[in-house]
Amino acid sequence: MVSSPLSDFLRSYLTVAIFGSLGFILVGLLLFISYLVRPNRPQPQKYLSYESGVDPVGSLWSQSQIRYYIFALLFVMFDVEAVFIFPWATRVEAYGGFGLVEMFVFIGVLLLGLVYAWRKGVLKWA
Amino acid sequence: MAGKSRLRMPGTFKGLALTFKTAMQTMFPRRGMKTLIPAPSIGAATVQYPHEADLPTPRARGVISLKEDNCTACMLCARECPDWCIYIEGHKTLAPPRRAGGKPRSVNKLDRFDIDYSLCMYCGICVEVCPFEALFWSPEYEYSEVRIADLLHDKSRLGEWFQTVPDFEPYESGSEAKVEKVPR
Amino acid sequence: MNAQLISLFAAETFEVPANIAFSIIAIFMVIAAIRVVTTDNVVHAALWLMVVLGGVGLNFLLLQAEFLAMTQFLIYLGAIIVLFLFGVMLTRAPLGRSDDLDNKQRPIGIVVGLLVLGLVSYSVIKTFGSDKLDFSAYDGSQAVAGNNRTEALSDAIFSQYLIPFEVISVLLLAALIGAIVIARRD
Amino acid sequence: MGLGLVESGKMPKSLIKLLNVSRSYSVWVYQWGLACCAIEMGAAFGAPRYDVMRLGVIPLPASPRQADLVVISGTVTDKMAPVIRRLWEQMPDPKYVISMGSCANCGGPYWDSYSVTKGVDQIIPVDVYVPGCPPRPEALLEGIVILQDRIKNEDPSKRWVGEPIVVE
Amino acid sequence: MTSVTDRQKLQYIAAQAADARVNVELETEGMTLNLGPQHPATHGTLRIIAQLDGEQVVHAEPVAGYMHRGYEKLTEVRTYPQITTLINRIDWLGSFANEVPFILAAEQLMEVEAPERAMWIRTILFELSRISNLILFLGDMGVQLGAVTPVFFAFRDREFVLDQIEAATGGRFHPNFDRIGGLRDDLPKGWLESTKGSMDKVRDFCDQIEDLLLGSEIFQTRTRGIGIVPTDVAMQYGLSGPNARASGIDWDVRRDNCIGLAYPELDWKVWTHTDGDSFARFWVRIQEVREAAKMVDQLCDGLPAGPVMAKVPRIIKVPAGEAYVATENPLGEMGYYIVSEGDLTPFRVKIRSASFSNMSITPWLLRGVYVPDIITILGSLYFILGDIDR
Amino acid sequence: MLLTQFLLLAAILFSIGVYGVIVRKNGVLVLMSVELMLNAVNINLIAFSTYHGLGGQVFALFVIAVAAAEVGVGLAIVLLIYRNRRSVDIDQLDELKG
Amino acid sequence: MTNDAPAAEATESEEVAVDEPREARLAMISESLGDMLVDSHIAVGRDIWVRVSTDAWGEVADVVRNRLGLRYFGFLSVIDWMPSPYGRSMDSEVDIVLADAASSDDAAEEAPDTGFTRGVTGGETRFQAFARVSHVGDPGDFWGLTIKADIPDDTLAIDTWTNAYAGADWHEREAWEMFGIRFTGHPGLRNIYLPTDFEGNPMRKDFPLLARMVKPWPGIVDVEPLPATDDGAEEGDQ
Amino acid sequence: MTPMLAVDWAYWQETLVKVGLGLVAVLLLTGAVVYLYLFKFVSFMQSRLGPMEAGPYGSMQLLAEVGKWLQKEDVFTENSDRIVFGLAPAIVMSSTFLMFVVIPAGPNAVISDLGTGIYYVLAMTSIATVGILSAGWASANKYSLIGGLRAAGQLIAYELPLVLAVVGVVIQVGSLNLQDIVHAQSDGAIFGWSGIGNPFIFTQFVGFMIFLIAVQAELTQSPFDMPIAESELVGGYQVEYTGIRFLVFFIAEFATAVGFAAVASTLFLGGWALPADWASESTMHWLGPIVISAKAVLLVGVVFWVRFSLPRFREDQLQQLAWKFLIPVALLNIVVTGTLKVAF
Ligand code: SF4
Ligand code: SF4
Ligand code: SF4
């Protein structure tokens, strides 16, 4: 059977999608079986948040720290960098020294950001 | 602080080596021909409880047993018990004389002797204070119950435990204490 | 079944199933996008946005931009959504609904939105009508055999778009430093 | 929510048996000690000599949400009692309780104290009482074996609606 | 300088340190994190309410009492022998060590003295209970830091020590072996030999812990410089035992105020550390286990012959008077202040338990630390709930 | 598949984004709406790249990179606002101008 | 090393033993405390007690810590000197029997009526605060001191020690909830052990232990007394 | 052949078989790993036995576990965000499944041989972060929230070294496709000697170590288990999960471990292939899956071994480890590899 690149391409991703949805299907299936056999016994305190056995103290909601945000930010930037590295990595040989220099400059510039963050002490807690 | 020590982590690898060694020792405890046949049941420190069990030492305070014949219902144990968990009832009878031709003696007969093991703190005071050698420790420990009331052992149950009382051990050298006997 | 229909469903073209897939994805995306701008829970908005972005990635796949699709998943789903969630949780992400997320310009918003939609759709339909995608451009620039176009993409970056590529690094650096400066209190 | 197949008794016997057996061999026990007994419990759970994991009792969870069994190991004080009640309620059904040691059984050495609850069964239903002060780790293992036996033979349709273990 | 300003200075320093550490990047809204009463980090039932700023503790308040059993009241209605067995359960890991100071205080009031053999056996058991207690600490510290294996090793090797204690006293945990005037019983045959054997296991265990934890770089980054207790603060809060010695206080009741035990006749060393951080506390304890093992060996070798019980009346009534005797328990200084009015029961027993004082420093110590360090610090301070709550 | 269908989808997303930008007053939500618009653009770019070679894809990559930078800085600004005003309500910012 | 000889050693010698280092220390203490000192006591070879006036309690802490160098804080607590109205909740008859047995057994101390009602350093009020501090210096240079002070019956309040010894915080909280003694100046006098809704102060002598009153003492249930026979039941059959 | 939705029957049959086999393989491997390591190996490390009673040597323990979890009540706390709370495990689970799609287990045995291979894997694993973060948020529990935030912070921090460590391999092979990578290793040569091919563990040792460390962190295993730190957060984002949903997290955790191990063995250990001519291609059809399973299971062993031996880093310390050490080193690795590649 002849198949065009298009159908091959999409077909392989269809498989991926099927397999990916398995996660949901499996969870659903397990939940259904469990639904058949599990007990349900409401107790007044069962639905309280667990907090080591006492009433939740203070507001349930809290703010996390900006530290996390900066880490996430750094991550995003470097992730973007990685995105550009990958295509380059497949073709390193073809570009030769020129490509190398280009990429090193690219990496170097972003490393400056890391160094900046480092020097600013945002990578540390204390 | 992190970067420097991180490059050399000999301590961390020592830990890894130790756990690996332990695993190997557990898995392949045997030497010689059988070295490579895994035998964790031998190598592990585990005593597989329901199938086998270590015997506790003879002194272990597992459960109190009663030698009913010796008890005179003198109540000393019940009084001294810090938890008030011994329940004794008795009445008087006449017993045959100890020496031939003597007068019949009046003794206390035990009607009820219960120890509430759900309350007992296993201190051993009762055993110690009993002046008539009627109470003994047995190292048995297997008497978990489903109903708490069953933890109240009456005198027949306490008497059964007496079968499991071990002999007293001899003492370490240098001791001046006398070894006593379990009156069987 | 007539011949034409069969050919439509034939494996070679993959036309109809792709269209079906597109329709499903598109419906999901539109609903999700609407939820993004209407939901009263910020975290939900972020999660709906995740659906939209995932849908965009799937669209890229339909358009055979494989590397782009993966990038979409990697960057948007794996990083930007996390960034959003962090941002939300750093400010305010109450469980349940909160009712002061919208201002009073809803009518204006609807009007402007519809206006934009109308204009763009009109011009799009007017201009492109029923042009078919043919992916000819891909085949032409395909550097290596197989269905792997990453190399081709790489070639494009490292030939035509070299300057923008380097500029991107500077941009990222600037954004990074800027964000750190802003987020930190000095 | 549940469909209630078990409660309604519509489950075939063999399947029930299967469920019981799987429940009895997978008992996740809550890491929670109260007093001296907790150390003996820890020994039963942690000491390689006793190694409760052999019996399928997994002492991993620290949160009640993933626990099947709680061993009340130690003194229950009046201040602690509500906490125990709540944590027990927070455990999802089916759940089991072992009361370990004189304190949990009856107040033990502190039977006359002003601050000690005289027995945990006043607060939550108990499935097995293990005597001792503290019980040897083996005694706790025995209690667990008894519990497993009972789980294997219990009637879940009763258990599911909240009664303590019923063995036919 | 008066004490008031002294304290203010301390507070000021603490506040400075905390402020320097407190995250000022973003004033995140405060959050109250509740650890316990049921929480794996709190060894049972301590509760810590920590006001957080992000992950940093602004204020931490330990709430004790979930294990309060009323010992001091109960001692007033129990006779002396009954109290001996009750107080076993205060520091349940080193139970025998709880009996000794009480018995010694009562002996002081009654003016009897235990025979030498009893003194030596007491010392052996005292050190054994120290070992069994500290071994568990050494393992448990691993758990607090996320390494589970050490605690299994600890439980494994602790069994050998417990076996010895049980063989002698009949109880793995609560020996109730001490009597006013001596001991309940003498040692069984072959006990000394096997005890020395188990000491080898203990030493092996110390080596293993050194490999697994002490030497691990991760462990060190987690504990060094964390939870520093300066000498003066340690004194003010009455820190004792290894905690005090880790803060550079060269003081050990066994050496400096030994009453009724055989320590002066032994060759041993008091270990101190100057850092005062979590690592120091861990380090001092591991040395103490080694030292204790050494002592047990010496004691076993030199055990004198003789009786184990002095002559005391059958019914014990302690003459009127007051006495305070403290010993160096595994957790620190444990003392009993007995007020007797000549009755069958004491009139008042004040129990000075080590953990109570050791833990009273936590609000001071936990200011400005990070949530994960709460665990390290609590773990390294090492408390037993029964010893806090009594 | 038709080109138009992708373009129309992009148009819909874009106008929803426009709506969101106008209506939302929570800064984070506004940024999300902007994200919607950017993605609409990306769809267009990719769709056109089927005609005009890979340039469109490269551009889309750049847009993604720029979007990442934009979100990063944008959220940092929102955090700044929040830190100073305890609210992420960007409409209130107008008051500052006056 | 100090001369902390075991108690028995000191008492074995018949002559009135003098504990010189402790006398010297006491002299030093009385010098520093001056008027504040009310009473003092030395148990030879064992310990020193001082009683200070109520008003000076807070100041004393300052003095002992900073002038006497007793920087180590041991504990702080309170005694209720009222005799317990409940005894041990055991049948009094039996107590008498036991007491008789005790006195007949051997030369135990005589009954407690020796005027000892307020401890070694005396006192006037029902409640007395006492604390223990120690000198911890170089190895071997260690000694402790117990300080007492009466607590006025009407106010039931006394100064806090938290200013001198930060560690007194918890100890005072404990005393507060156990005895109901108020420590003026304490930063947060809250319950430390008991639930907040607990009523009463359990360590007071008049706080009943209900369980002991409800449950009959098993010793009461006695077999009826024996008619006098030649060999009493005490011997039993061995 | 009747076309169905333009995809013929053959495709559906093939796909069903693949998906079924893939699922079974994933679950079997996960089960094996849990039993072998979590239950047994770890127990041996602690000189005990692990499960013994359920089946011979406790081999039925896992079935009992699943049976037990099925019967557990499903509890939603009253404050939780029910939808998100319920969906989060599924997100994590399917992110895990998606990872397996491209891992080749033989010359043809791959569910879907995508051109973007390894890049795809990295993209898919990063999605789990969202699942975990929303699980932590939706539980409405402080411990979960802190745990979720920490987990997300850590996952993204270690996603980078993971990604960058791969680049070295990609440079050497010149392709993202995993089959290409496998072939490059089995056909390669080390300094001209092709006896064992060229498993990249030798030439990319730095990359391999970084990858392993990052995997350890991605799996939130000790020493990087601060997010689920039992001794303080009681299990982190999983605190409120019970029953099936917890089981799903549990499976996902270990399946991810298997997945990462399989990826690592594909990238660095030669994947399913034995070096060039040790076995014929037809043999590899059935031998390949065994080979890669063995390699993967061995690597998971390392994960567990480390997990149960070491204490954990504090949150900031592990962030520093990532940013100050792993990422620069990984970048350096890229630079060196690229230079060498161009030079030779
Ligand atoms: S062992 Fe102690 S508590 Fe138990 S019955 Fe005997 S005296 Fe009472
Ligand atoms: S057991 Fe002993 S003490 Fe108790 S009543 Fe009997 S004889 Fe008396
Ligand atoms: S029963 Fe005994 S050992 Fe157990 S907690 Fe109570 S006092 Fe402690």
Side-chain angles (χ1 to χ4, degrees), chain H residues 132-148:
Chain H
I132 285 172
L133 196 50
S134 41
W137 173 79
S139 301
N141 181 302
K142 284 175 201 158
Y143 306 123
S144 331
L145 181 71
I146 297 185

Side-chain angles (χ1 to χ4, degrees), chain D residues 35-37 74-75 101-103 109-110 132-134, chain E residues 89 174:
Chain D
C36 351
C37 282
T75 321
S102 300
C103 285
Y110 316 99
C133 183
Chain E
R89 289 152 174 82
H174 300 317

Side-chain angles (χ1 to χ4, degrees), chain A residues 73 76-78 80-81 84 105-106 108-113, chain C residues 162-180, chain F residues 38 59-74:
Chain A
L73 190 68
V76 172
M77 300 305 165
F78 277 84
V80 171
E81 174 193 344
F84 286 99
V105 171
F106 184 77
V109 171
L110 260 177
L111 263 182
L112 284 182
Chain C
L162 204 53
I163 305 298
F165 164 72
E166 292 297 344
V167 170
I168 281 290
S169 74
V170 179
L171 174 90
L172 289 177
L173 177 67
L176 186 60
I177 293 177
I180 290 176
Chain F
L38 281 175
F59 264 111
L61 264 186
F62 289 156
V63 169
I64 290 177
V66 173
E70 173 255 341
V71 174
V73 179

Side-chain angles (χ1 to χ4, degrees), chain C residues 68-101:
Chain C
L68 255 290
M70 290 310 137
T71 307
Q72 176 86 8
F73 289 130
L74 188 70
I75 301 285
Y76 271 112
L77 266 54
I80 291 188
I81 289 289
V82 176
L83 202 59
F84 268 121
L85 285 175
F86 274 150
V88 167
M89 290 178 185
L90 279 166
T91 52
R92 202 150 144 272
L95 287 149
R97 37 177 300 128
S98 44
D99 17 85
D100 58 340
L101 295 176

Side-chain angles (χ1 to χ4, degrees), chain C residues 15 19 36-37 39 53 59 72 76 91 100-103 105-106 113 128-129 131-133 137-138 161 183, chain F residues 1 3-6 9 15 19 22-25 35 39 48-51 53-55 57 67 82-83 91:
Chain C
E15 192 77 348
N19 274 325
V36 171
V37 293
T39 181
L53 299 179
N59 268 322
Q72 176 86 8
Y76 271 112
T91 52
D100 58 340
L101 295 176
D102 288 1
N103 56 24
Q105 293 162 338
R106 189 165 296 157
F128 298 105
D131 289 6
K132 283 208 161 206
L133 294 173
Y138 287 177
Y161 299 98
Chain F
M1 286 175 289
L3 175 61
T4 322
Q5 67 195 59
F6 289 97
L9 175 63
S15 30
Y19 168 82
I22 295 175
V23 169
R24 294 303 214 178
K25 63 179 186 178
E35 227 34 55
N39 271 280
F48 282 124
S49 82
T50 56
Y51 286 92
L54 287 170
Q57 294 201 15
Y82 179 75
R83 189 166 67 202
D91 285 5

Side-chain angles (χ1 to χ4, degrees), chain D residues 58-124:
Chain D
I58 315 261
L60 284 187
S63 146
R65 301 286 184 197
Q66 289 122 36
D68 310 307
L69 166 68
V70 61
V71 178
I72 305 292
S73 54
T75 321
V76 181
T77 58
D78 289 343
K79 193 170 175 180
M80 198 63 182
V83 177
I84 291 180
R85 173 77 198 181
R86 168 171 302 176
L87 289 172
W88 174 77
E89 284 193 6
Q90 285 184 344
M91 286 163 63
D93 275 79
K95 53 193 169 195
Y96 305 92
V97 180
I98 288 182
S99 155
M100 177 187 187
S102 300
C103 285
N105 290 347
C106 233
Y110 316 99
W111 62 277
D112 50 351
S113 169
Y114 50 87
S115 60
V116 174
T117 307
K118 317 294 182 278
V120 72
D121 44 7
Q122 296 177 10
I123 317 167
I124 56 178

